[in-house]
């Protein structure tokens, strides 16, 4: 072997040696942990109930349920005019995860899908004295998935009203500049100023009581039951209870 073939062989051997001796690559950024959702064991199947036809409870449940139409016969015009039966139940159609690590997707097995630019890290702080009051604050990132589980598993396949879609990531807070800043979020949600007062916040106590007894009160839409205020509509949580409250917008 002489000339050009020898040089090519030497170069190929050198590249193989570099690959073999190179240290294992590590993903940039913090470690991301998680697992894929098991549709059998990780889904609250009993939460689908109560099942009703009109006002008649076919499969009762101890869980609260909003008011259903009194008549079992209904009509709709989307996509075509048709008459059907009014059936009420809870359909699992969306999935959310919250994380303090940007670009970390716990529900996708704990993978990081980072485009290469940095986004502020989330945080969770314990009680601290702010103005003489104890206050916990937090900031999380939220991912919102399209997850029509009943349609995928072909349960109750005759229902034309099921959401028929494939798995998708519908929203990521990392790419939303409004999620990072209260002032920017107020540009599209100026009503936050109306609810940033002691009277509006005190009204959430009534929403907490109603949510504990049965269901929260729809007129108090700025409240999230016992989890506090819904505003500001971004990732800043002024009175953190935990990751459940942090995903309240998802």
């Amino acid at each position: 072997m002489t000339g050009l073939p020898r040089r090519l062989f030497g170069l190929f051997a050198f590249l193989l040696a570099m690959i073999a001796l190179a240290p294992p690559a590590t993903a940039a950024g913090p470690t991301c942990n998680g697992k894929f959702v098991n549709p059998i064991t990780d889904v609250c199947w009993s939460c689908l109930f109560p099942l009703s036809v009109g006002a008649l409870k076919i499969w009762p449940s101890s869980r609260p349920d909003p008011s259903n139409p009194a008549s079992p016969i209904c009509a709709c015009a989307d996509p075509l005019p048709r008459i059907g039966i009014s059936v009420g139940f809870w359909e699992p159609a969306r999935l959310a995860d919250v994380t303090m690590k940007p670009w970390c997707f716990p529900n996708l097995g704990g993978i990081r899908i980072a485009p290469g630019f940095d986004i502020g890290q989330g945080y969770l702080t314990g009680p601290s004295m702010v103005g003489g009051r104890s206050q916990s604050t937090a900031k999380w990132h939220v991912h919102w998935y399209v997850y029509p589980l009943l349609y995928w598993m072909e349960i109750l396949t005759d229902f034309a009203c099921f959401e028929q879609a494939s798995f998708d990531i519908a929203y990521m807070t990392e790419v939303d500049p409004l999620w990072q800043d209260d002032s920017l979020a107020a540009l599209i949600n100026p009503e936050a100023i109306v609810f940033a007062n002691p009277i509006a916040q005190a009204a959430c106590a009534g929403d907490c009581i109603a949510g504990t007894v049965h269901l929260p009160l729809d007129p108090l839409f700025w409240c999230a039951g016992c989890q506090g205020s819904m505003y500001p509509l971004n990732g800043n949580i002024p009175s953190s209870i935990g990751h459940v409250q942090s995903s309240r917008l998802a």
Side-chain angles (χ1 to χ4, degrees):
M1 183 181 298
T2 59
L4 182 60
R6 177 178 294 178
R7 289 195 294 270
L8 292 177
F9 177 80
L11 178 61
F12 180 70
F14 175 76
L15 292 176
L16 288 179
M18 291 295 293
I19 294 175
L21 297 176
T26 57
T31 303
C32 180
N33 300 305
K35 68 172 185 176
F36 287 97
V37 177
N38 187 324
I40 305 300
T41 60
D42 295 339
V43 175
C44 178
W45 288 106
S46 62
C47 296
L48 272 68
F49 306 105
L51 176 65
S52 60
V53 176
L56 179 63
K57 300 292 184 181
I58 302 298
W59 194 310
S61 172
S62 60
R63 292 182 170 87
D65 190 32
S67 300
N68 296 308
S71 173
I73 306 299
C74 63
C76 57
D78 185 20
L80 297 174
R82 61 187 187 273
I83 298 176
I85 300 176
S86 177
V87 179
F89 61 94
W90 297 95
E91 178 190 1
R94 293 294 184 270
L95 184 66
D97 58 29
V98 293
T99 176
M100 291 184 290
K101 304 171 183 177
W103 310 112
C104 174
F105 294 81
N107 282 327
L108 296 182
I111 65 171
R112 291 190 77 246
I113 308 176
F117 57 90
D118 188 29
I119 295 292
Q121 293 285 334
Y123 66 87
L124 177 64
T125 62
S128 60
M129 298 306 294
V130 178
R133 295 176 299 175
S134 179
Q135 184 178 22
S136 300
T137 60
K139 185 171 185 176
W140 300 70
H141 285 290
V142 179
H143 307 132
W144 187 238
Y145 305 87
V146 178
Y147 199 79
L149 189 59
L150 298 185
Y151 170 68
W152 295 341
M153 300 185 70
E154 298 184 355
I155 300 176
L156 303 175
T157 55
D158 292 336
F159 279 28
C161 296
F162 272 164
E163 181 168 344
Q164 303 178 8
S166 59
F167 181 86
D168 193 10
I169 303 176
Y171 175 61
M172 300 185 300
T173 57
E174 288 89 343
V175 298
D176 185 357
L178 306 182
W179 189 259
Q180 311 294 329
D181 189 274
D182 292 350
S183 300
L184 292 178
L187 294 177
I188 61 173
N189 299 111
E191 71 275 11
I193 302 175
V194 179
F195 307 127
N197 61 81
I199 298 177
Q201 297 304 309
C204 292
D207 194 51
C208 175
I209 296 174
T212 303
V213 175
H214 185 60
L215 288 173
L217 303 175
D218 289 341
L220 301 181
F221 61 89
W222 65 91
C223 302
C226 297
Q227 298 176 1
S229 176
M230 295 281 288
Y231 290 84
L233 297 181
N234 60 10
N236 297 323
I237 311 299
S239 301
S240 177
I241 299 176
H243 67 281
V244 174
Q245 186 193 36
S246 303
S247 63
R248 66 184 186 272
L249 300 180

